[in-house]
Amino acid sequence: MNSVFTKTLCGAAFAALMMSASAHAEPAKPECIAGAKPGGGFDLTCRLAANALLEAKQISKPMAVTYMEGGVGAVAYNHVIAKRGSDPNVITAASSGSALLIAQGKFGQYDETAVHWLGALGADYGVLVVSADSPYKTLGELVEAYKASPEDFAIGGGGAVGSQDWMKGSLLAKAAGQDPKKMRYAALEGGGAVLTALEGGHVKVGSGDAAEMVKHHVAGKVRILAVMAPERLPGELADVPTAKEQGFDIEWPIWRGYYVGKDVSDADYQWWVNAFETASKTPEFAKELEARGLFEFTLLGKDFEDRVKADVERFKILAKEAGM
């Protein structure tokens, strides 16, 4: 009887020990893959996780950042699926732009179900801007003018046709009842080029991101007519109305998130979710967001997985309507 009891007790203790170990299974070599060159959005996303987790003491050693350029994240996506699918040490940076490319089939043979989506830790939002001397003071005025004469409006964005900036411009065209495929779109090299084109009068409308444009709006170099957020943004953009406030059902959140390989164990996946949740509640994390020009947007685990899948479906519809 004592022998059976002892075995049972030892078995229970061992199970408890293993559960405890799983709950604290910190990755031995934490790594974040940024699917582009240093300095871009994926780099920013990896640095956000690396700094936040270290400052919140969720990891005990610095997280390495590996750069894997190609296809705006496509090479990294395929690499993780093919070679790091079960590696619990690796997280990979992603964004709503990743969901948009997946929706357009630009990540190759793999769709959104080929990885395990971990969470989002921040977001930016799309904006429509005009030059400081533009006659348009509201989104409504711009839409009416575009409706009357779409051929007179060149829209500049930091990306090619089918990119997020192109899609934001297409939402303006749709709001004006015009065909997005006929939109005069200037594909420029990033937000800086969009600002230069606006100031030089080469384009009439700029499609961009809030964090990128806010300082130029405050300085009076451009005028942000609308933010594509569910509600007004805090701080320096508190005076700028949302598109919804102005009667247009337009939202474009640009979340910054992460995924792991499909075959990473449930315990290791949950460790990352818990670590992100803990880190996101610290004052240090709030400072990290502010330093990177990001706004609060924390969505973890299944909630984030569901959001990514919903975004891919939404982008498929938008791409089809835009003739992509």
Side-chain angles (χ1 to χ4, degrees):
M1 182 76 175
N2 286 339
S3 175
V4 171
F5 177 78
T6 302
K7 287 180 180 178
T8 303
L9 185 62
C10 288
F14 179 76
L17 180 63
M18 295 316 300
M19 287 178 66
S20 174
S22 314
H24 300 86
E26 177 187 340
K29 297 179 180 179
E31 176 187 358
C32 184
I33 296 176
K37 294 178 181 178
F42 288 144
D43 189 8
L44 176 152
T45 306
C46 279
R47 298 293 175 186
L48 174 63
N51 290 3
L53 291 172
L54 191 62
E55 289 174 3
K57 297 181 171 53
Q58 296 303 292
I59 53 176
S60 57
K61 60 193 73 171
M63 176 181 281
V65 177
T66 301
Y67 300 99
M68 197 170 291
E69 182 185 0
V72 198
V75 169
Y77 198 74
N78 281 263
H79 170 79
V80 169
I81 293 166
K83 298 184 178 179
R84 312 289 291 274
S86 60
D87 191 339
N89 294 287
V90 178
I91 62 174
T92 305
S95 74
S96 51
S98 306
L100 177 60
L101 292 175
I102 290 171
Q104 296 179 50
K106 294 184 177 179
F107 272 18
Q109 63 179 306
Y110 300 112
D111 64 10
E112 69 278 8
T113 66
V115 299
H116 210 166
W117 297 92
L118 189 59
L121 286 183
D124 198 355
Y125 292 91
V127 294
L128 291 172
V129 300
V130 293
S131 63
D133 59 359
S134 170
Y136 310 113
K137 303 294 194 298
T138 68
L139 181 57
E141 291 176 358
L142 177 62
V143 168
E144 286 304 311
Y146 190 96
K147 183 186 297 185
S149 187
E151 65 278 0
D152 291 340
F153 285 83
I155 299 173
V161 171
S163 67
Q164 290 199 83
D165 280 357
W166 187 91
M167 284 289 184
K168 292 173 219 165
S170 77
L171 293 176
L172 169 62
K174 284 179 63 180
Q178 301 297 323
D179 185 351
K181 295 191 292 293
K182 297 180 180 178
M183 177 176 61
R184 288 184 59 203
Y185 180 76
L188 304 170
E189 292 293 327
V194 173
L195 288 162
T196 300
L198 274 172
E199 291 172 0
H202 305 299
V203 298
K204 284 192 177 181
V205 183
S207 172
D209 304 336
E212 202 167 36
M213 298 292 179
V214 59
K215 294 191 181 342
H216 304 280
H217 170 79
V218 172
K221 294 182 178 179
V222 297
R223 182 184 305 125
I224 298 177
L225 296 185
V227 294
M228 299 177 178
E231 55 190 29
R232 289 205 186 195
L233 299 179
E236 294 176 319
L237 287 175
D239 66 325
V240 179
T242 66
K244 283 197 169 184
E245 281 181 80
Q246 299 177 73
F248 300 94
D249 189 17
I250 297 174
E251 283 190 26
W252 199 278
I254 305 149
W255 47 257
R256 297 289 178 185
Y258 312 86
Y259 60 84
V260 295
K262 187 74 171 179
D263 297 325
V264 167
S265 73
D266 290 345
D268 288 318
Y269 173 83
Q270 195 58 46
W271 183 91
W272 283 108
V273 170
N274 294 342
F276 278 168
E277 184 173 17
T278 299
S280 70
K281 295 176 179 177
T282 65
E284 290 81 10
F285 177 72
K287 291 177 183 175
E288 290 289 335
L289 280 184
E290 185 177 1
R292 287 163 175 77
L294 296 177
F295 301 93
E296 185 178 345
F297 186 88
T298 303
L299 204 59
L300 301 171
K302 185 178 183 303
D303 289 339
F304 181 57
E305 188 115 34
D306 291 345
R307 172 58 183 260
V308 173
K309 290 176 180 177
D311 276 356
V312 170
E313 289 307 308
R314 180 169 66 92
F315 290 147
K316 284 179 180 177
I317 294 169
L318 285 175
K320 185 176 181 180
E321 290 176 348
M324 299 302 299

